[in-house]
Amino acid sequence: ETGVTQTPRHLVMGMTNKKSLKCEQHLGHNAMYWYKQSAKKPLELMFVYNFKEQTENNSVPSRFSPECPNSSHLFLHLHTLQPEDSALYLCASSPERGRGDTQYFGPGTRLTVL
Amino acid sequence: GEDVEQSLFLSVREGDSSVINCTYTDSSSTYLYWYKQEPGAGLQLLTYIFSNMDMKQDQRLTVLLNKKDKHLSLRIADTQTGDSAIYFCADHSGGYQKVTFGTGTKLQVIP
C-alpha cells in the first residue's frame, strides 16, 4: 500500500467525452503531481500543486484541467481528448514541493482515447 | 534542461546479478532515486542515495554513485523472476528542486 490511490484504474473514452481522474493521498503530504507516461518515453510532469496552489504547468494542453480542492485530493478533468493522449496517468505526492522530498506514486489510470 | 539516460532493456538469468545503469547531466543533484514499476502498476520507490554518498546497500540492492562521471547504477543480487519490471532512475535537482526521470530499463529475468 503506497498511500496514494487513483480511480479509475482503467478508462476508455471517446474524443467528445468528458471524464475525470481522481487521486487521493493518505500520507499527510502537501504537494501533489500529475505525470503522463507514454510508451518508450520518459515520465512527463504535467502539473504540480503545493499547498493546494498550482505551481507548475508544463505546457499542458487546455483539454487537461487539474483541480486540487484540498491537500489530499487531486483531480484531472479531461475533455475533447485526442488518441495521442492515450497513456498511463500517474499521480504522486510528497511532503512539500521544493525541499528535496521523495515523491510517492499511485498505481496510475490507464487511459485509452478512441 | 537536465537529462537522465538509461538503456531500454536488460535480460538476466534467475540467480544472476543484474546491473542497471543510469547517467545524468545535472551537476546540482541532491538525491538520486531508483523506482520499480511492475506491469499495470504505478512507480514504487526502491531506494535512493544522497549525492554525497558513493554507495548504499539495502538487502539485495546496491546503489553505486560516481558523481564525477555522473553515473548511477543499481545492482540486484540473486535476481528473481519477481524482479522483472521496469526500473527508473530519477535525479532530484538541488537547484530547481524537481525530479527528472529516465526512460526506464525493462528487466527481464529468465527462469
Side-chain angles (χ1 to χ4, degrees):
Chain A
E1 175 59 60
T2 63
V4 181
T5 58
Q6 290 186 242
T7 54
R9 293 294 307 276
H10 301 271
L11 178 63
V12 179
M13 59 187 289
M15 289 191 286
T16 59
N17 293 157
K18 289 185 182 181
K19 297 286 184 184
S20 295
L21 310 185
K22 179 182 176 183
C23 174
E24 185 173 0
Q25 56 96 1
H26 312 273
L27 301 169
H29 290 167
N30 293 303
M32 296 188 77
Y33 311 77
W34 279 118
Y35 286 88
K36 176 183 179 183
Q37 185 181 29
S38 304
K40 297 182 182 177
K41 292 174 72 174
L43 279 180
E44 300 171 53
L45 179 62
M46 300 173 72
F47 301 103
V48 181
Y49 278 81
N50 203 24
F51 293 95
K52 301 188 295 179
E53 298 294 322
Q54 186 181 130
T55 56
E56 290 179 47
N57 174 342
N58 288 291
S59 303
V60 181
S62 59
R63 56 186 184 268
F64 294 91
S65 174
E67 179 191 1
C68 188
N70 55 61
S71 291
S72 299
H73 293 86
L74 184 66
F75 295 89
L76 187 62
H77 303 300
L78 316 171
H79 63 98
T80 57
L81 295 191
Q82 304 297 310
E84 61 265 28
D85 296 322
S86 298
L88 180 68
Y89 288 84
L90 291 162
C91 172
S93 72
S94 67
E96 187 177 333
R97 176 63 162 172
R99 291 187 57 192
D101 294 328
T102 301
Q103 296 177 27
Y104 293 84
F105 286 80
T109 295
R110 174 69 62 185
L111 174 67
T112 303
V113 181
L114 302 175
Chain B
E2 295 81 19
D3 281 327
V4 178
E5 294 192 358
Q6 302 175 238
S7 54
L8 289 179
F9 190 76
L10 176 66
S11 180
V12 299
R13 293 206 172 275
E14 189 175 15
D16 289 350
S17 292
S18 308
V19 180
I20 302 171
N21 294 301
C22 170
T23 58
Y24 60 97
T25 59
D26 185 9
S27 58
S28 61
S29 293
T30 51
Y31 301 75
L32 292 128
Y33 304 101
W34 283 105
Y35 286 85
K36 177 183 180 183
Q37 185 179 34
E38 296 181 12
L43 295 179
Q44 171 196 356
L45 177 65
L46 275 183
T47 186
Y48 64 92
I49 188 169
F50 294 108
S51 59
N52 61 359
M53 295 170 64
D54 299 324
M55 185 183 85
K56 180 178 180 181
Q57 187 150 5
D58 184 2
Q59 299 181 337
R60 291 191 297 123
L61 305 178
T62 303
V63 179
L64 295 178
L65 175 61
N66 181 329
K67 197 171 181 181
K68 174 177 171 289
D69 295 338
K70 297 190 176 66
H71 182 267
L72 181 74
S73 67
L74 174 70
R75 178 176 180 270
I76 306 173
D78 187 26
T79 311
Q80 303 297 308
T81 54
D83 295 323
S84 293
I86 300 175
Y87 291 81
F88 290 87
C89 167
D91 153 47
H92 197 136
S93 164
Y96 185 60
Q97 299 285 14
K98 69 175 184 179
V99 179
T100 304
F101 287 85
T103 52
T105 299
K106 184 172 184 178
L107 174 64
Q108 179 187 49
V109 182
I110 303 167

